[in-house]
Amino acid sequence: MNEAALCAGTYDPITYGHLDVIERAARIFPRVVIAVAPSHGKNPIFSVKERVELVKQCTAHLPGVEVEIFKCLLVDFARAKNVRVMVRGLRAFSDFEYEFQMALMNRKLDSEIETIFLMPKQDYSYVSSSNVRTVASLGGDINQFVPPPVQDALKKRFA
């Protein structure tokens, strides 16, 4: 039995959709490592340290969850953390092609690491970090999309 899973992403910011997938993973695996990517190419609005702190605050209620930055190949990070299962969230069919290619690439890089896909509740299937950032930047109500610590951080960022 695999005793740990890895949930990787930029989490800029973490949404209720991300949190739903992480909570589902935490019900399956006693240890869940959340790997936060620096993501220089996406021009994040929060620093990687700020994102790690927000993810920690939003997952504090989950036992066995660790949150860390990773700056290497994800398979190398997984190996270093003694994790053999990567959990990826699929919101819609449009996510599948990218995630499928990534899973195959990771399998080629390390055949011992498996990828499983979890779908968030349908209430969150349309929620993306980029959409949340847009709504927040224009002064819209984001309460139904992100946890309170993220709401506060976004309000401060766009004040």
Side-chain angles (χ1 to χ4, degrees):
M1 178 177 143
N2 290 297
E3 296 189 16
L6 183 97
C7 296
T10 55
Y11 302 105
D12 188 43
I14 186 169
T15 68
Y16 280 132
H18 291 128
L19 196 53
D20 186 63
V21 169
I22 292 165
E23 288 170 345
R24 289 167 190 268
R27 287 195 302 261
I28 299 168
F29 299 93
R31 179 174 163 243
V32 176
V33 179
I34 303 172
V36 181
S39 188
H40 304 293
K42 289 186 177 182
N43 297 320
I45 61 166
F46 293 111
S47 73
V48 70
K49 289 181 182 179
E50 289 171 316
R51 288 181 275 137
V52 164
E53 185 55 37
L54 286 170
V55 172
K56 284 181 178 179
Q57 289 175 35
C58 295
T59 59
H61 65 288
L62 298 171
V65 169
E66 306 165 19
V67 184
E68 295 190 37
I69 298 168
F70 80 98
K71 298 179 182 178
C72 57
L73 282 174
L74 192 54
V75 293
D76 292 340
F77 184 79
R79 266 190 242 112
K81 294 294 167 189
N82 198 28
V83 174
R84 294 284 173 228
V85 177
M86 293 188 199
V87 172
R88 301 296 297 170
L90 291 177
R91 292 172 299 186
F93 188 73
S94 57
D95 289 343
F96 180 76
E97 185 175 359
Y98 171 80
E99 294 295 345
F100 182 69
Q101 289 175 357
M102 189 63 63
L104 291 176
M105 178 64 77
N106 287 333
R107 182 186 296 162
K108 193 68 167 174
L109 293 170
D110 187 332
S111 62
E112 297 295 313
I113 295 177
E114 295 293 339
T115 300
I116 63 171
F117 300 106
L118 296 177
M119 293 173 287
K121 291 179 189 174
Q122 69 183 36
D123 297 351
Y124 307 128
S125 63
Y126 62 92
V127 177
S128 70
S129 294
S130 58
N131 286 341
V132 168
R133 290 191 308 267
T134 299
V135 171
S137 72
L138 297 171
D141 181 5
I142 54 169
N143 295 350
Q144 60 191 324
F145 308 124
V146 293
V150 178
Q151 295 168 26
D152 295 341
L154 284 167
K155 287 174 186 170
K156 287 177 187 170
R157 183 59 39 111
F158 293 118

